[in-house]
Structure formats: structure tokens, C-alpha cells
Amino acid sequence: MTEQEFVDKVNHHYFRAHDLYEGNGGYNIRRGTAHVISGYLEDLFALYMAQKIGSKENHYLLDKIMSIESIEKKRATSFKPDLAILQNGAVTHYYDLKTNLGWNRYLEEYLKKKDDLIKKIKGKNGWIRFAGEPIQNIVFSEQLKYQMVVFNGFNINPKDLQINIAYAATLENVEMHILNTFNEKDGTLNIDLKAFDCLYEFYENQ
């Protein structure tokens, strides 16, 4: 899957987000709020990454709860990446997927918490559990980073977007990738191929 194909597939899903899954049956049924596409974006992104990396040995875990022991709280600390890549029992990637940044235009507090989380779990042992299966022990890579992947960078003031990007760059364990950028001159969205490249350049450095 190319970057253009990835973007086209997501955009197609956007355009159909107001469609009724089962049609209207000839009745006056109309949808107001669009269907949420975040689940589709996660599935497609996992497939895109798997195809780019090309390893049939890796595991690509979507919305899977992961846990580590927490001495401070005397109980497990749990978290759920939108996509985590598991390589030979080690979590090497932690992705957080956002369709846009309209949900939170000021990300400092949010990103700082993610930076603190990665500091806490890097190099530590943890576990995951699937229904009906034994607990699976895992380890979190020493190189692990929290990677926020934003599909569209248009639903936010450009200055606020740059402030968020600049702040993310100051955090040791955070990376931020904007896949589509807005061109103010002609009002178009442009695919940022460098942002796509960063997603698996990091993988190659493992």
C-alpha cells in the first residue's frame, strides 16, 4: 500500500461516514453525526505498517491493554496503545492515532503525561492477556517512544499546530507525525512523505 493509497482509503471512509450501514429501506432515515472512523484508521494503519516493515514474525496489536507492575500504586499500571508492534516479545513501537487535532488544540499536558509514561515503562517487563490464553510476558524496548500520528493537520490553527509540534520535539520520548498538511496559499491538503518515512525509519533503528 502506498502513502497515496492509504490517504485515499481514509478519505473515502470520511466521505461515506454519513451513510447508513443498512440503507434507509425506503424510509426517511437520515444520519446527523457521522460514524466514527477511528477504528477503521487504526486497522488500515496497522496493515500499512505491516506491509512496509514486511515481517511476518512481528505482532501488530490494536487497542490491546498492556500492563506493568507499579510499585507506587501497589497495583498494575495499564495502558492501551492504538497500535503496538511486538517483535520477539519486545514492544518496539507505541502509536497513538488521531484523525485530527480538533479534540485538543493544546497538547502540552497530554504529551507530557505520555512522555512520563514512556520513561516509566522503557526497559521494564510487562504482560498482555488474551481471552482463553495464558498471560504473555513482554518487555518494553529501551528505545521505545510515544508516537502520535495525526492524519489531518487542518482542524487546528496553524500557529497552534506549530506550537504543539515544537513542544513535542522538546520531549525525549515523544514524536509527532502530521501525515497531511494544509497549504494556506491554495487551500489544499498535501501528503507529507517525510512524516510517513519517519514511521518506519525509527523501526529500522531498532
Side-chain angles (χ1 to χ4, degrees):
M1 186 190 316
T2 67
E3 291 73 22
Q4 185 65 60
E5 288 171 337
F6 175 85
V7 169
D8 288 346
K9 286 176 181 291
V10 177
N11 283 336
H12 179 70
H13 217 72
Y14 260 121
F15 296 146
R16 297 191 59 187
H18 282 90
D19 290 355
L20 301 171
Y21 286 150
E22 299 297 331
N24 62 18
Y27 298 94
N28 295 319
I29 304 173
R30 298 177 65 184
R31 165 166 284 280
T33 302
H35 290 291
V36 175
I37 73 160
S38 56
Y40 175 78
L41 177 62
E42 292 167 1
D43 291 355
L44 188 66
F45 182 74
L47 179 60
Y48 169 81
M49 289 299 297
Q51 290 178 347
K52 285 295 182 181
I53 294 169
S55 171
K56 295 291 181 71
E57 304 301 319
N58 291 346
H59 294 267
Y60 301 85
L61 306 181
L62 290 162
D63 276 340
K64 182 61 192 167
I65 294 175
M66 301 181 168
S67 302
I68 64 167
E69 291 289 351
S70 176
I71 297 175
E72 301 90 348
K73 296 183 179 180
K74 297 183 180 179
R75 63 178 183 177
T77 294
S78 297
F79 41 91
K80 187 170 62 173
D82 288 337
L83 172 65
I85 299 178
L86 192 63
Q87 181 185 20
N88 297 322
V91 178
T92 58
H93 289 72
Y94 183 129
Y95 294 106
D96 190 5
L97 299 168
K98 305 297 182 186
T99 54
N100 58 60
L101 292 176
W103 59 281
N104 187 353
R105 291 175 170 80
Y106 307 102
L107 293 172
E108 287 192 16
E109 182 179 354
Y110 183 86
L111 294 178
K112 183 63 172 65
K113 287 181 179 179
K114 296 300 184 182
D115 185 62
D116 291 341
L117 172 65
I118 300 300
K119 285 179 184 177
K120 181 177 181 178
I121 67 176
K122 282 198 306 187
K124 301 291 179 59
N125 295 320
W127 68 89
I128 55 177
R129 185 198 306 265
F130 289 93
E133 298 180 15
I135 291 175
Q136 181 178 346
N137 293 318
I138 57 176
V139 63
F140 295 94
S141 169
E142 290 280 4
Q143 294 178 284
L144 189 66
K145 289 182 181 288
Y146 166 84
Q147 298 193 70
M148 177 182 279
V149 181
V150 182
F151 180 72
N152 277 328
F154 70 89
N155 195 17
I156 183 175
N157 182 287
K159 290 183 179 179
D160 291 337
L161 177 60
Q162 291 306 314
I163 289 172
N164 287 324
I165 292 173
Y167 179 71
T170 69
L171 299 174
E172 178 185 359
N173 302 294
V174 171
E175 292 192 358
M176 191 172 178
H177 313 290
I178 312 297
L179 303 185
N180 284 292
T181 58
F182 183 68
N183 187 326
E184 293 185 78
K185 292 182 179 179
D186 58 15
T188 60
L189 284 173
N190 299 316
I191 299 174
D192 188 342
L193 294 178
K194 290 183 179 179
F196 274 98
D197 288 344
C198 288
L199 297 172
Y200 36 91
E201 276 180 1
F202 178 67
Y203 179 87
E204 292 168 358
N205 291 331
Q206 291 293 328

